[in-house]
Amino acid sequence: MSYPGYPPSDGYPAFPGYPPTGQESVYPPAGQYAYPAVPGGFPPSGGGTYPAAPPNAGFPGAAGYPAPGGYPPAGGFPGAPQAGGMPPYPGGSGFAVPPTGPGFGGYPQQPPAQSYAGGGPAQIPGFPGGQVPSPMPGLPAAVVQCTQGTIQAAPNFDAGRDAEILRKAMKGFGTDEQAIINVVANRSNDQRQQIKAAFKTMYGKDLIKDLKSELSGNVEELILALFMPSTYYDAWSLRHAMKGAGTQESVLIEILCTRTNQEIREIVNCYKSEFGRDIEQDIRSDTSGHFERLLISMCQGNRDENQTVDYQKAQEDAQRLYQAGEGKLGTDESCFNMVLASRSFPQLKATVEAYSRIANRDLLSSIDREFSGNVERGLKTIVQCALNRPAFFAERLYHSMKGAGTDDSTLIRIVVTRSEIDLVQIKQMFTQMYQKTLATMIASDTSGDYRKLLLAIVGQ
């Protein structure tokens, strides 16, 4: 498949200074998934240090648990089920107050430092089957919420040698697709940019043009996506979603509602420099109403990134959201926009937990009841990312392949953009949510070199 107007006639667009040296895989920002501040500190007084336990150990009762000092208390927490432990709040730190209300089992409210994560999934409307399991059964979710990509920078990297391999794979009659796959699926995005530069230096030819002439269909789209600098690919995807007749709103939501402040600011700047257009103006031309306002808010890249959770503010925001929706006739959409667009993701998670206690209903359910269409999907995406970002992308991948046909553009975009960030965690979530591996579903929905390259990227 060809991309209109891409690459430019003089080859791939120069993208000075991107990705920043040493920064291409530093995501999320350091400390993003650190434990929230808990009054009294963690572990609780008398609890000793956090217990070392095998990663897959069950809790409670597995080797290494409970921690010295009587944590959790003998016999479990008052009111908690004795068999199987307390379901964790999805993506949660394991130290926040477990929500009450429909779908949450009515666990009693405990002080933040006293609740714990057990092995079962929590019931959350808005996720497939209403379940978002903890990333690793038996451990508090925050312990395992470090992110990891399936693609790492190759050791002993030699851009010239890789350029030579690719040249040989495309020279003469026929194409050695496997040789191309072996290189592109095992190099970081930064290394692919170096290969591209080395290829032009060594052969006086543009690697992207040569690849386009040798490949076709989905495998061409996938390989070209891999060779785009990460920020450019996001900007290109947004431009493509708004170009021509119709708008792909799901693409706008997926990118603008899930990226970090720095990523969004770089995308907005790249959109301007590469396409000569203002992204806000394009959004205003292609969307309207509350959905337009939400996307414009996202484009600012000004979400609070303070990782310390203010539980008092979470309570106040939860009350504010309740009064703006469930607690009144009609909906104050601007209040939802303000809270969900500006608070940090750890802060939003605490707000979601406080909301379930105030409203006796979880926030995703309330958004379902109060909103519809694209703005509903946008707001729910923000909440889902606050609770469990890998689970959000796992759900998107599942629906790209579910049923007749495959949404190849979505499949390609998520696999490529998360391959150096959190695709390992996305794979774990996918297996827990759908009882099948991501690789199994890819293998059954794709074929040929396209299938081989996708499987190589997801680490299969």
Side-chain angles (χ1 to χ4, degrees):
M1 134 175 213
S2 63
Y3 299 121
Y6 180 82
S9 56
D10 60 346
Y12 222 78
F15 203 57
Y18 186 83
T21 306
Q23 294 297 314
E24 57 274 12
S25 61
V26 182
Y27 175 85
Q32 176 158 341
Y33 290 105
Y35 294 117
V38 176
F42 181 79
S45 176
T49 57
Y50 193 77
N56 293 314
F59 181 61
Y65 285 96
Y71 180 78
F77 292 100
Q82 298 304 303
M86 182 185 291
Y89 200 60
S93 67
F95 309 123
V97 180
T100 58
F104 289 105
Y107 299 127
Q109 298 175 13
Q110 301 289 341
Q114 287 185 308
S115 60
Y116 66 95
Q123 299 291 322
I124 301 291
F127 281 107
Q131 295 190 350
V132 182
S134 60
M136 194 176 293
L139 283 179
V143 175
V144 291
Q145 269 193 335
C146 52
T147 55
Q148 184 184 349
T150 54
I151 293 181
Q152 311 289 330
N156 306 315
F157 171 67
D158 184 331
R161 182 180 61 211
D162 284 348
E164 190 175 355
I165 292 171
L166 293 177
R167 171 71 172 147
K168 192 176 296 184
M170 295 184 286
K171 191 176 180 182
F173 182 74
T175 305
D176 185 351
E177 288 88 355
Q178 189 60 53
I180 296 173
I181 290 171
N182 291 342
V183 170
V184 300
N186 294 289
R187 305 293 183 270
S188 68
N189 190 279
D190 182 50
Q191 290 175 334
R192 291 185 214 114
Q193 307 314 312
Q194 295 178 54
I195 294 169
K196 195 167 57 182
F199 192 93
K200 184 171 282 189
T201 299
M202 293 166 66
Y203 304 112
K205 300 185 71 178
D206 186 86
L207 174 59
I208 304 305
K209 287 184 177 177
D210 277 14
L211 287 169
K212 284 171 66 69
S213 69
E214 298 289 330
L215 304 168
S216 62
N218 291 322
V219 72
E220 176 193 353
E221 182 178 348
L222 177 53
I223 284 183
L224 293 184
L226 287 165
F227 272 101
M228 291 187 195
S230 303
T231 298
Y232 183 93
Y233 184 38
D234 274 346
W236 179 88
S237 297
L238 291 170
R239 177 71 190 120
H240 190 68
M242 293 185 281
K243 191 176 181 181
T247 304
Q248 296 172 286
E249 291 88 354
S250 61
V251 177
L252 305 183
I253 292 168
E254 178 196 305
I255 294 175
L256 293 176
C257 293
T258 66
R259 303 304 194 248
T260 65
N261 285 349
Q262 182 180 344
E263 288 169 334
I264 286 175
R265 290 168 187 163
E266 289 172 351
I267 290 166
V268 169
N269 291 335
C270 177
Y271 194 96
K272 179 75 172 177
S273 62
E274 296 300 331
F275 307 115
R277 303 178 68 89
D278 182 274
I279 193 169
E280 286 190 27
Q281 289 303 318
D282 282 355
I283 287 172
R284 292 185 197 281
S285 299
D286 276 60
T287 63
S288 61
H290 299 295
F291 181 54
E292 173 196 324
R293 293 191 202 81
L294 179 64
L295 294 182
I296 296 297
S297 293
M298 294 296 100
C299 283
Q300 306 315 301
N302 281 331
R303 182 181 298 282
D304 179 19
E305 291 188 330
N306 182 356
Q307 300 307 297
T308 301
V309 174
D310 182 335
Y311 288 97
Q312 180 61 37
K313 180 188 280 187
Q315 185 74 17
E316 291 168 359
D317 281 346
Q319 187 66 44
R320 186 180 288 124
L321 292 173
Y322 179 73
Q323 293 299 335
E326 297 278 3
K328 64 176 288 187
L329 186 64
T331 307
D332 180 358
E333 294 87 357
S334 63
C335 177
F336 280 81
N337 194 104
M338 183 275 289
V339 172
L340 297 184
S342 61
R343 305 296 190 248
S344 72
F345 284 116
Q347 183 70 32
L348 281 178
K349 187 163 69 64
T351 301
V352 170
E353 292 164 352
Y355 184 91
S356 67
R357 297 193 295 274
I358 292 171
N360 205 32
R361 185 191 307 279
D362 69 276
L363 184 56
L364 286 171
S365 258
S366 290
I367 291 172
D368 263 335
R369 290 159 59 93
E370 300 291 325
F371 294 88
S372 62
N374 293 313
V375 69
E376 175 198 338
R377 286 191 284 272
L379 293 171
K380 287 173 70 174
T381 294
I382 296 169
V383 173
Q384 288 171 325
C385 282
L387 295 174
N388 192 323
R389 191 187 308 260
F392 166 76
F393 284 111
E395 181 185 3
R396 289 277 290 157
L397 285 170
Y398 177 77
H399 286 292
S400 75
M401 295 179 280
K402 182 186 177 185
T406 304
D407 180 354
D408 293 293
S409 290
T410 295
L411 175 59
I412 289 169
R413 187 175 56 255
I414 295 177
V415 166
V416 170
T417 58
R418 310 314 292 185
S419 61
E420 293 181 51
I421 299 173
D422 54 1
L423 193 50
V424 169
Q425 283 71 32
I426 292 169
K427 286 166 56 181
Q428 292 171 349
M429 286 293 99
F430 194 97
T431 301
Q432 292 183 49
M433 291 163 70
Y434 303 108
Q435 290 74 56
K436 65 175 75 174
T437 66
L438 175 59
T440 299
M441 199 159 183
I442 287 174
S444 65
D445 261 59
T446 59
S447 61
D449 294 319
Y450 177 47
R451 173 199 286 166
K452 289 180 188 175
L453 181 51
L454 281 172
L455 293 176
I457 296 168
V458 302
Q460 207 57 38

